[in-house]
Amino acid sequence: MQIVNSFLKKLLVASMLLGIGGGLIETPNLGHPEVEAASHKKSTHKRAKRKTKANKKTKKRKKTSKAKKSKNLLKVDVKSSTENAKRKLITQNHQVPEATYYIAINNDKDYQATLAAIEAWNKTGVIKFKETTDSKNAYVYIHNANYGDTSWAGKEITYTNRRNRNEHRSEIRINDYFTQKVSNYITMAVIEHELGHSIGLMHIDSQPSVMNSVVDPSTTVYTIQPIDIEMVRQLYDEK
């Protein structure tokens, strides 16, 4: 009996040492998943926040770059690129449509640029501008003034005869606020553009054209291009 009791005592001690039966089993420390998840989430949020700030900085740099670029751009006029082209000249029996013009310009730079622009259009062979001394009946009346820091360097205004809707007159305004700051070449291009409107052309921004609505004086400014000549041909159905 004593032997059995001794054996049971040893067995009980051994079971306690090995964690068997009623002994406590030590659980390995796995940490706190909730805390770790929160910590991971916080870390992810920080990375997302840093990424958002980086994106904002990139956008800001692009916006600044775009703003700097836009400062160099010169809006030629305020006409809408979606305006319907109008057949403004009555060709009658003329093989080439003709338009009379009167120049009322008070400075040499604008005057010479206007003559050069008219000559450039006449050389295309698709339109003929003819000078007149009759300012009241001229088809195109061209004049200049300092209109200040407006949104345009030139403006063409079409007037339609109320009694005869097919009869039009055109007024071209040259804004010296801009033209006196740019070269003679750019001033000529601006006037070529406005003359294009006076004979019915719309803006063309899909390719190089004198009818581009915006120009960048620091790069390329286009004068009359083949597309402009073709558009006049189509407008007046020339064969």
Side-chain angles (χ1 to χ4, degrees):
M1 188 69 178
Q2 289 181 352
I3 295 172
V4 173
N5 289 337
S6 176
F7 173 75
L8 290 174
K9 287 180 180 179
K10 289 180 179 180
L11 184 62
L12 182 60
V13 171
S15 65
M16 290 177 67
L17 291 172
L18 295 174
I20 301 172
L24 296 176
I25 300 174
E26 186 178 352
T27 304
N29 183 12
L30 299 178
H32 299 279
E34 299 85 359
V35 176
E36 288 183 1
S39 176
H40 174 70
K41 190 174 181 181
K42 188 175 182 182
S43 176
T44 306
H45 179 68
K46 283 183 178 179
R47 286 198 296 272
K49 197 171 182 180
R50 286 197 295 269
K51 191 174 181 180
T52 303
K53 285 183 178 179
N55 289 339
K56 284 183 178 178
K57 286 182 180 178
T58 303
K59 287 181 181 178
K60 190 174 182 180
R61 283 196 296 269
K62 286 182 179 179
K63 192 174 182 180
T64 303
S65 176
K66 190 174 181 180
K68 286 181 180 178
K69 186 177 180 182
S70 65
K71 286 182 179 180
N72 295 326
L73 299 180
L74 177 64
K75 192 170 184 179
V76 182
D77 57 25
V78 292
K79 280 190 172 291
S80 169
S81 59
T82 58
E83 280 190 52
N84 293 323
K86 297 177 181 178
R87 185 168 182 151
K88 298 181 180 178
L89 302 180
I90 300 175
T91 58
Q92 296 180 351
N93 296 323
H94 298 296
Q95 187 174 1
V96 176
E98 293 184 355
T100 57
Y101 67 89
Y102 182 88
I103 302 176
I105 291 176
N106 59 19
N107 72 65
D108 189 62
K109 180 181 180 180
D110 289 347
Y111 183 77
Q112 294 301 325
T114 300
L115 292 180
I118 290 169
E119 184 181 4
W121 272 115
N122 284 345
K123 282 183 177 179
T124 66
V126 294
I127 187 72
K128 181 69 176 178
F129 286 103
K130 296 177 68 175
E131 187 173 13
T132 180
T133 56
D134 185 357
S135 62
K136 292 184 179 180
N137 292 313
Y139 174 71
V140 186
Y141 183 84
I142 310 168
H143 63 110
N144 70 304
N146 188 331
Y147 294 96
D149 189 6
T150 62
S151 60
W152 48 272
K155 179 187 286 188
E156 190 273 339
I157 304 170
T158 302
Y159 302 95
T160 302
N161 190 325
R162 293 181 180 179
R163 295 180 180 178
N164 182 357
R165 305 298 295 178
N166 290 321
E167 186 178 324
H168 308 276
R169 291 192 63 201
S170 174
E171 176 192 355
I172 293 178
R173 298 176 182 178
I174 303 169
N175 189 354
D176 287 342
Y177 181 87
F178 291 107
T179 59
Q180 295 303 310
K181 296 177 181 179
V182 296
S183 67
N184 293 344
Y185 178 84
I186 294 175
T187 302
M188 178 188 72
V190 168
I191 299 171
E192 284 182 13
H193 178 103
E194 301 310 329
L195 286 168
H197 282 313
S198 74
I199 58 177
L201 295 184
M202 299 185 299
H203 284 153
I204 301 173
D205 287 318
S206 58
Q207 58 184 294
S209 163
V210 74
M211 300 310 295
N212 289 163
S213 60
V214 178
V215 298
D216 186 347
S218 64
T219 57
T220 304
V221 176
Y222 296 102
T223 52
I224 300 168
Q225 301 296 306
I227 183 63
D228 305 311
I229 297 171
E230 181 56 31
M231 292 306 294
V232 175
R233 284 199 180 102
Q234 290 182 23
L235 186 60
Y236 293 99
D237 299 321
E238 288 188 33
K239 307 297 181 183

